[in-house]
Structure formats: C-alpha cells, structure tokens
Amino acid sequence: MESNLITEDKQKNKLEKAFEILKTMASKPSGLIGLTIVLFHVVLALISPYIAPYDYKAISPNTMLLAPSAEHWFGTDSLGRDVFTRTILGGRTALTVTFFGSLIALLWGGLLGIFCGLVGGKIDDVVMRVVDAFLSIPWILAMLLIVSLLGTSTEVLIPALGFFYGKGIVRVARAATHDVIAKDFIVSARARGHSNMSIIWNEIIPNVRDAILVEGAMRWSWMLLGFSSLSFLGFGVSPPTPDWGLMISNARGLMSFAYWSVIAPIVGLSSLIIGINLTADAFAKALGIDRSTKAPV
Amino acid sequence: MNEIIESVKNLSIGFNSQKGKQISILRNVSTNIKKGETVGIVGESGSGKSTLALAMMGYIKQGLFPLKGQCLFKSEDLLKMSSRQLEKIRGRKIAMIPQNAGQALTPNLKIGYQIDEALKLHTDLNKTERDKKISELLNKVRLPSPETMAFRYPHELSGGQQQRVAVAMALAGKPDLLLLDEPTTGLDVTTQAHVLELLRFIAKDTGTSMIYVSHDLGAIAQVSDRIVVMYAGEIVLEGPARKILKEPIHPYTYGLLKSIPKLSLAGLPASMPGSQPQPGSINEGCSFYDRCNLATDNCKKNSPDLEHIKELDTNVRCFNYKELINQNNNLQTSITKKSNNSEANEVLKLKDVSISYAKQKFFDQLLNKISDQNPTVKDINIDIKKGETIALVGESGSGKSTILKSIAGLLKTKDGQIKFENDRILSSDLKMRNPNDLRAIQLIFQNPDESLNPNHTVEQILSQPLKLYFNLSGEELKKNIIDLLKKVRLGEFYMSRYPRQLSGGEKQRVAVARAFAAKPDIILCDEVTSALDVSVQAAVLNLLQQLKEDLGTTYVFVSHDLAVVRAISDRVAVLYQGRLCEIGPSQNVYKFPSHPYTEVLLGAVLEPDPDIKPKLVAEDIVEEKPPEKGCSFQGRCPRKIGDICNSEVPPWQIGENGNAIRCHINIEELASLQQ
C-alpha cells in the first residue's frame, strides 16, 4: 500500500514536471508560437477527415484550376480537386510517418549511441566507423533504392526514414554519454559492481535523455522535409492520397498561372517545420540545453 | 600611509529572481582600502566575497546589479562609470589576478607576447623598453631564466609558474590596487607557499595595495594586514589580521577558526552546526542566528549593526561579542578521537604494487602484459589494519588517487598483489571480483556534485547499493534508507530531494551514507573534504570518525591537506612521484626526524596564525615523470648528498618512534639536521 503511494507520488511528480516544462516553453513568444503551430497541425490532422468540405479524390473536369472563391477557398487543382480539402488532409500521412520514424530513430540511435559511449574501445570504434560510412552515403539515393525495391508503403517508409535519421542521433547520444561517464557517479556505480545494463538504465539515460529528446525533435522537422522531398520526387506517398510534397510536385508546372494550388501545401509544410523547430528550441531551453551557444552536448 | 585609495559605501548587490523578487547577495557593505595595505576578504562559498571584490574594480557579474551604495576609487564611483572610463582604470590603476591562471592565459600566445600586450595597453614605453620591462617583470616574479621564459607557451609552464606570469601581467600597468581572487587555491601546498611569499614581497616592494579574496584562512593569515570576514553577504567582522586570527570576537569567525584542522593539534576540529543561509532565505534578525551558540531572543528579532570597538580597532556585527573577548584561549583545542586497537588483524595488504598508465605496445597486448620500466606508481607496500585510518598524502601527481583506484578495482596493476582478508589475492579488475568483495570495498569521492546522479532523488541514490547487495525492496528498503540517513544526521524528509536541493555538506553526507549502505569493511576516501567549506569539512570529518568508531570500518584516506590528515588519520604514508617516502603512525610522521620531502611538505603548510610562517626549504619545481633511477625525490631534495641519490634507490630505515623513512641519510643524522 505504502509503496503504491510512493509510485503514485512519483508519477504525479513526472506529470507535474512535464507540465512545468510546457509552461516554461510557452513563457517565451517563440516557444508559444511554435507550440501553437504544432498543436494546430496535430489537431487538424486528427479532425480533418470530418471537416473536409469535399472528397479529396473527386475528380471533376468542370472545376479545373479554379481560382480561390467562396466555394473553393484555396481554389482547385489541375484535376479539379478542392485544394483546401487536400491541404488539410495532406499533413496526416507526413505527420504520422515522420512521428513514428522519429521515434524509431530516437530509439535505435539513442540506445546504440549510449551503448557505444559506455563500452568504448574496439566495439565503439567498429560501430562508429560503420555509422560514419552510412553517413557518407547520400540518404536520398539510399532511400530511392530501398523504396524502389520494397515499395512506398508506410511500413517501408517509417523504418527506412527512422534508420537514416537515427545515424546522427547515434553521434549525439554517444557524445552526451561521454560527458556523463566521466562523472564520479558512474565510476561509483561501476565500482559497486553494477552491470552495464543497470548503469545505462539507472545512471546514464536519466542524464542524456534531455539532450537526445531535443535532438529527436530537431530530427523530426528534418525528416518531415525529407519525407516531403521523397513525395515530391514521386517516391513517397502514392496518388491519389493527398500529400503536401506530392501536391507541390503536381502543381509546380502550373505555378505561373495557378499559384494557389502550390502555395497552400507550401504554407502547410513550412509552417509545420517552423513550428517544430521553434518548439524544439523552446524545449531545449526549457531543459537547460542552449542550442544557440552550445552544440547539443 | 593612511591615504584611502578605495572605499566601498553601503554597497548592496542583488538580482531578480524568476518570481520577480529582488534578492540581495551583498547587503550594506562598507569598507576602506588604505594605500599599501593588504586586505584579506574571507568567507565560505556564497558569502559574497568574490562579488564584493569584483565590484571593487567596477565589475558586476551578468545578471547582478547594484541596488544601492558606491564603490569609490580615489573619490570616483566605479559603478557609475562608462566602460570607456573603466578601461582606463582597469589594468592601470586596479589589476586583477585570477584564480586559475592556466585558463586566464591565452593558450596559443607566448607569454612574453601576452605580457607585452598588457604593457602596450597600459604604458607608453617603446619596443626596446618594453622588452627590457618584460624580463624585468619575469625576474620580479622569480621565474627561472626570464630570457627563454618569454618565448614559452602557457602550457609549457607549471601551475605555479602560470600564476607567476599572471602576477607579472597584473604588475605590468603598475597598478595602485591588486585584486586577487583565490590566487593559490588550485596549487599544490609547496607552490602555494612560494606564490604567497612572492605576493607578500611584491606588496612590500612596490607599495601596492592588495585585496586578497580566499576561503582559506591559512593563506589569508600569511599575507593580510587587515581581514574582512563575510557571512551571508554581510561583513561580520573586520579588523587587524592578528586580532581577528588570535582573538576573534564574532561567533562565526570563532567557530570558523576552531573548525580548521591544525598541524599542531592531534584530534578532530570542532564543527559548526548547520550551513550558511541561501540568499533570499534570510529573514529578519541576525543571519548567523541558526548556527550561533551565543544567540538570544534579541538576535532572532533584530539584526545587529556593524559596531566599531575602539580599543580593539575592530568592527563587529554581534550583540553578544563581549562574551567572546575572554574566551579565546579555547581556540587551541580539539576533539580527541579514540585510537584504534593496534593488535587488530590486517585487512588489506598492498604488496609491491606498481601501476602504469603507459599504453601497451602491440606485442605486449598480445602477451597481455605491461612492459613499462618506469611506472607511475612503483613498489608500494602497505599493510592496513582492521579499523585503522591510513592516510595517503602527497602533492598532485604523487599517485595517491591512482593507488586508491587500483584498490577499488578500477585500474589494473602492473605488478604486485592486493590481498584482502586472510591473504586472499584480490584481482585488480572489477569484473573478476566476487560480489562480496565488491561490497566490502566502497568509495567516497571528492566532489559530491559529480558523485551523485543529479537526476536521482536521495532515496534512489541510497537504494542502489541496498538493492544490489542485499536485494531489499518495499518497506524494508525504505526502513534501511531512513536508518542510513539517520546515521549521517539527515532527516527522513531528505528522501524525496534531489542533490541540487542540498547544500555541499548535505550532499557529501548522502555520499557517505551511500558508501555505508553496503556495510563495507573498507572505505576509500578520495579527497572527501577538499570540495567543502571549512566549517562543513569539520562536520564531515567528525561524522566519518563517529561512524568508524561505531562500525569499526577501515578508512584509506587520500588527501593533499596535511592538517586534515593529521586530524583524522592513525597512520600516514607520504608519497612522492608514486613512490613511498615515509610511513608511520601519524603523531610520529608529524614530528621530526622525517623524510626530507615530508619536511618540505610540513614546512609549506599554511596555518591560520600570523606567527607561524611557512618554511620554504625546496624549490617548487614540478617534475612530470618519476626519475628512472635512484631516489624519487632527488630532483627537489634540499638535503641531497650526492651521486648516490641519483643512482640508488634509498633503503628503508626505521626510526625509534616507529616510522619508516626511505632516505640515504642516516636517520639520526636527519634528526640533527632538522633540529
């Protein structure tokens, strides 16, 4: 009974802590703007299927390339589809794929980085050289290869993106771990005879978690851009699924006279990226990691 | 001589807290610096001494701002000056010598160039005159061969030499006032004594006024004419150095002096309860009220003013100072500690232990051996008895911490054996030790900020060894944690706190509790008190002694501070360059005859007493590597007798009083030489 109380207390503390961090983030204008944008996009992605005024795949030759009007707020595209509908739905895939992609990147990159940082020596050398080798391959080429071999389903895209964006996190996590393992509390745990797993779990992760999370948040926005680039090149989401990268790609030839069909997805994409960036920066500051003066550990 | 060159008037400095509250760090400070006078500002960390000193050169740290008052330098207010005006004063009129010269010097510029820069900025000399001045300055700070010294880079100099360069740079502009912020704190004992000697000489020679900021009353005592004692942002006592040190009439200063371990006294220093209040948490009444044993109800309600006492030429901030006036003969007392039973069994034996940091060559890696002919630590033979406190003493680089690491299993030994209980050989590799041996040997580190995981609560910190070694959980675990906290005199409510919410002393208590959680036989203490304030240090030493007497634990105590070692240890081993010089019961090591190195070390200790001057018998050269042949101390020995010291390792000689000395000079001869 008593121990239950303690754990409950701890959970409450954790919630309180998260709330505290959110409050600090929102206390600065840039953080507040970032949070608002991200929240707006997330809410939009959740409710857009219910509020979309038209069917996103309804092709109609009568309404081709209409300028914005009361009926079609953002106009229509070359196939006569409503751009507003497609824009508010276009963030759904991108957000889902990149969110889970970032999670995967965080998990494998963070854990491998921490492990390498702790173990050091030859294992560390070998693993890091392999990671370096992957870093030297242009990711978009590698992605194209994977996608053309395995297809463009989300089951392929999520782990592939997660893999390629996790490489950078390995380095960050390893560097953060290096900072921590020089501290005496790690030496102390070692001298007591704790296992490596226990040291990683109890001593290192609580101390590098913040740096890695911030890095993950930054990677999220990069991954979003990367994912949209893939779609733009035709290797991301397949039509007729609405997607910003795909929409920009389809409309770019008509940009000179039907600018509306390209502006809406661009605004959607860039506002989300800016929002995530601002949020990540505010998050870092709230955690006491200042990205402007110091590399993320 | 009585011209006042800088005067601080009613100065308060503070900052705005996140909640928008104004919090003062300095409160109503007033003092005067006379021409040619050295004023020591002493206080524990957080007392505002550095803030005050920096304000005296018109500098206020970022985030802080003056709330009221003035800093008048020759009747001009420094705090109101523009940065242009300040530029003209800093360096030329007021110069500063930083704490860590190694960081204050630009690493990629030769030191001659850096001094030249200061000269260009602050004087009108031409190139040839400046060159002459550079070697003159380097000479003045007693750096060897000033001609070649100017062409060296900072990293080629030792810490003491770097500090001398910083002094030379500060003197370049011929300042009227020198500001020294803990200038000797990071230096070795012998180097520190030399640098202080130099500063005293310069003060006398050039007639410069000095402000010497330090937490170390020993250093302050050596240089100061007048002493200002700060506590919680206020001046609590101010007066002539001798009066302050010999007859302190403020209870804080009195307690502080009593809590400093002294060479002349065996036994533990008395500790002061509690710790300094944080800025912002100071309520009405005297800020020392909680820790004062003279406190009355009046002290709780009203805060005393700084009162001038004419006959003593002293300012004091205390209602009850009169009670202290006749009490001061008590200063030279200490708490006697129970000596251990010398018949006890040996619990740990170091036999011919050598440790090398050299990287293995490829071939040696294959054969898994280390072929370093001149290892960092060599031939260490120490038998440690159950329940005794053995201290390893030496300057930085003496290998004392290295030995400790090997005992803990964190560093492989090259040769030799570590034997634990009944001559069982203990592997120097952690992974090869069995869990019970791991439990039996625990470590306490120097800096509790680093040795406690900042993201764990005290409960989590203490539960780790309990879970690991005894598989405790639930109620039982909690009960054990509370017991441990009680043992180190902390309350149950500390369980949910994070290390950052604790004071330095409390953190170290938690670290001590964690070590004792394993119910160890041996605790290795690595400079456990050197990161702590003096009054807290005494409390931790007393706690360690109490725990030892209750539980019969054996301590291996590593320290560079000879007075602390004197206070806590039963036996002392003196190390130089990783080789043992002398080992014996502590009361004998501190008596002559002793090894020439022990003599040098003891001579350099600074006592908080203006009458005890350090005896500087050896040069403060820093040797990077132990000599390959002969006596380890040959490079600096003031009593070197000749070639034999360079070629042959000296034999062990055992003196009448039971301490063993490794020296070529006959022990009786040493005795007569040292008298």
Side-chain angles (χ1 to χ4, degrees), chain A residues 1-9, chain B residues 474-475 478 482 492:
Chain A
M1 191 61 201
E2 188 100 10
S3 60
N4 269 343
L5 274 176
I6 294 172
T7 42
E8 258 176 40
D9 202 35
Chain B
E475 272 301 286
K478 203 177 164 201
I482 295 170
E492 194 182 325

Side-chain angles (χ1 to χ4, degrees), chain B residues 55-71:
Chain B
M56 284 186 178
M57 65 183 298
Y59 180 81
I60 289 177
K61 278 186 201 155
Q62 219 183 355
L64 299 180
F65 50 86
L67 302 173
K68 64 169 188 180
Q70 298 169 304
C71 266

Side-chain angles (χ1 to χ4, degrees), chain B residues 643-659:
Chain B
D643 279 344
I644 188 167
C645 296
N646 295 346
S647 56
E648 272 175 55
V649 178
W652 281 106
Q653 301 181 61
I654 295 171
E656 292 166 19
N657 49 18
N659 53 333

